[in-house]
Amino acid sequence: MSILIGILGLAVVLGAAYLMSNNRKAIDFKAVGIMFVLQIILTLIMFKTSIGLTVIESVSNGITTVINYGREGISFVVDGWIPEGGSPFFINVLLIIIFTSMLLSILTYIRVLPLLIKYVGGFLSKITGVSPVKTFHAINNIFFGQSEGLLAIKAQILKMDANKVIVISIASMASVSASIMASYITMLPAQYVLGAMALNALTSLIIGIIIAPDVEKDEEKVDVKDASPAKSLFEAISIGALDGGKVALIVGAMLIAYVGLMALIDGVFNAVIGISFTEVLGYIFAPIAWLMGIPAQDILVAGQTMGTKLATNEFVAMLQFREHMPELSEKTVGIVSVFLISFANFSSIGIIAGSMQAISGEKAAIVSKNGLKILLAATLVSIFTATLVGLFL
């Protein structure tokens, strides 16, 4: 029964995207079909084959090992700050962003990541017919997230029409950055974090080209010569570390603001109507959770987490969800964990518009005008990916 509900959920998401389309006649259904088949194959391999499970486990263990090396630097700096038995979120979860950001900067400088992204994106473009810039951007977002991903294709963005800008904005909002992946893994099961990062790249293209299909095909090329601004390896290390430090501080500041704000809103709702705002979100999103294949007994908790993520950000939702995980089914944990791995929330509209502003005021205006549409599309990406994974759990 849950499989049939999950299939219905996928159909509802695709139907919603179709209804939102700017030009239904121009939708490339062949590309959508190819990418959907690729998703099914990839999901099947990752979650249902011994080889896939072994690879996921090996990658997860490798990342954990790398994280532990990074913790050596954290321990050196903050040794003695942590009381025995304590586990400060900023130190144990956020500071590791500095280390992973530095590693990404090194891999970019030595051109390992740019070439990998270019050729994987190029292969995806050839078999689907989707433009190479879009596929490059979708794969690039697996590693660099929304702001950095947009800046990597700024020369191409200047030539894009409104539909292309909307597609890459959807892909940006539906992604996360590998620099904060390590932080996610400290809160959620690693296999779902890794699976969501890979699958969202394809889902964002599926939803994007349905909602904003290309009217005309342009000749596009991807250039990775200037992928890194660093002039030396040590400069790459410094840039990565400083960028990671900024992200850690920004995320910390946002969490202080959003967690406090949610507590205030919950208090007001409890005082006025006798039920918290978080519980209200649970009832609003419960039908969506049910369509995603989440067991009936878990849909309120799942709905609360999903609503919190949309209203605030994924970190706040993960902190909330982590407290409920021991009492939830494995299927619920998997589906909700996958849903949480994206930047799809209201604040991301401003982040993407701001990044576009740095490239072109005209393109930023397109993002601002279509901000809610882009957010809804990115949320559909999260729902679709999570529902698909749920079919194999």
Side-chain angles (χ1 to χ4, degrees):
M1 184 64 180
S2 64
I3 292 176
L4 292 176
I5 294 171
I7 292 172
L8 174 62
L10 294 178
V12 169
V13 170
L14 292 176
Y18 181 78
L19 291 174
M20 291 169 59
S21 179
N22 295 339
N23 188 342
R24 296 183 188 118
K25 292 181 180 178
I27 297 172
D28 188 344
F29 289 105
K30 180 182 176 182
V32 170
I34 292 171
M35 286 188 287
F36 183 49
V37 170
L38 285 175
Q39 277 193 312
I40 292 173
I41 294 171
L42 188 57
T43 308
L44 181 65
I45 291 172
M46 286 193 294
F47 295 103
K48 280 296 182 182
T49 66
S50 56
I51 294 175
L53 292 170
T54 300
V55 169
I56 288 285
E57 184 179 1
S58 299
V59 172
S60 174
N61 291 338
I63 292 171
T64 301
T65 301
V66 171
I67 290 172
N68 289 334
Y69 285 124
R71 294 199 188 284
E72 292 290 325
I74 296 172
S75 297
F76 179 80
V77 173
V78 302
D79 188 37
W81 290 8
I82 307 173
E84 188 161 347
S87 183
F89 182 84
F90 184 75
I91 292 173
N92 287 341
V93 177
L94 296 186
L95 287 187
I96 197 64
I97 294 173
I98 297 172
F99 181 69
T100 52
S101 177
M102 178 269 295
L103 289 180
L104 283 175
S105 183
I106 291 175
L107 291 173
T108 302
Y109 173 74
I110 62 177
R111 294 171 63 80
V112 169
L113 277 183
L115 291 175
L116 173 66
I117 294 165
K118 179 179 179 179
Y119 288 114
V120 172
F123 172 75
L124 185 59
S125 176
K126 281 189 176 180
I127 63 174
T128 63
V130 177
S131 72
V133 170
K134 289 177 186 171
T135 55
F136 173 86
H137 182 64
I139 302 300
N140 192 48
N141 281 338
I142 296 175
F143 300 95
F144 295 105
Q146 49 192 2
S147 298
E148 295 86 348
L150 290 170
L151 293 174
I153 56 168
K154 58 185 178 182
Q156 289 81 11
I157 287 174
L158 293 172
K159 306 171 188 175
M160 290 181 176
D161 61 19
N163 274 9
K164 289 184 175 69
V165 170
I166 290 171
V167 173
I168 64 167
S169 297
I170 292 169
S172 295
M173 195 180 288
S175 69
V176 293
S177 169
S179 64
I180 56 178
M181 171 186 61
S183 297
Y184 295 154
I185 287 175
T186 64
M187 295 182 283
L188 301 174
Q191 68 268 32
Y192 301 126
V193 175
L194 296 171
M197 291 177 70
L199 291 170
N200 275 349
L202 287 169
T203 308
S204 65
L205 289 174
I206 290 173
I207 300 299
I209 65 176
I210 291 176
I211 290 177
D214 278 344
V215 178
E216 53 187 41
K217 302 287 184 181
D218 298 324
E219 191 69 31
E220 296 177 338
K221 293 182 180 179
V222 176
D223 187 3
V224 296
K225 289 181 180 178
D226 301 318
S228 173
K231 300 298 185 289
S232 69
L233 177 62
F234 293 106
E235 187 179 1
I237 293 171
S238 300
I239 290 173
L242 291 174
D243 286 346
K246 292 173 187 174
V247 172
L249 288 173
I250 289 169
V251 172
M254 290 178 67
L255 286 174
I256 291 170
Y258 278 121
V259 172
L261 180 61
M262 286 296 289
L264 173 62
I265 295 173
D266 277 344
V268 171
F269 268 68
N270 270 317
V272 175
I273 62 175
I275 183 174
S276 71
F277 178 63
T278 305
E279 290 174 298
V280 172
L281 289 175
Y283 287 109
I284 293 172
F285 282 86
I288 299 174
W290 180 79
L291 271 176
M292 292 166 68
I294 292 173
Q297 69 271 17
D298 296 337
I299 59 174
L300 282 179
V301 171
Q304 289 174 13
T305 305
M306 292 162 61
T308 299
K309 190 245 185 181
L310 182 63
T312 57
N313 61 47
E314 74 280 5
F315 272 105
V316 178
M318 286 176 194
L319 287 171
Q320 179 191 95
F321 186 61
R322 187 169 61 169
E323 298 176 3
H324 296 285
M325 282 170 57
E327 64 204 47
L328 300 173
S329 68
E330 176 62 28
K331 184 165 187 172
T332 299
V333 171
I335 292 173
V336 177
S337 295
V338 171
F339 176 86
L340 293 176
I341 306 302
S342 83
F343 290 137
N345 58 65
F346 285 99
S347 63
S348 285
I349 299 173
I351 293 171
I352 294 175
S355 300
M356 283 289 189
Q357 188 67 47
I359 299 169
S360 164
E362 178 190 350
K363 310 306 179 186
I366 294 172
V367 174
S368 298
K369 180 181 177 182
N370 295 278
L372 290 178
K373 188 171 190 175
I374 291 167
L375 174 58
L376 179 55
T379 304
L380 290 178
V381 171
S382 295
I383 294 171
F384 190 92
T385 301
T387 305
L388 181 63
V389 170
L391 292 176
F392 294 90
L393 297 180

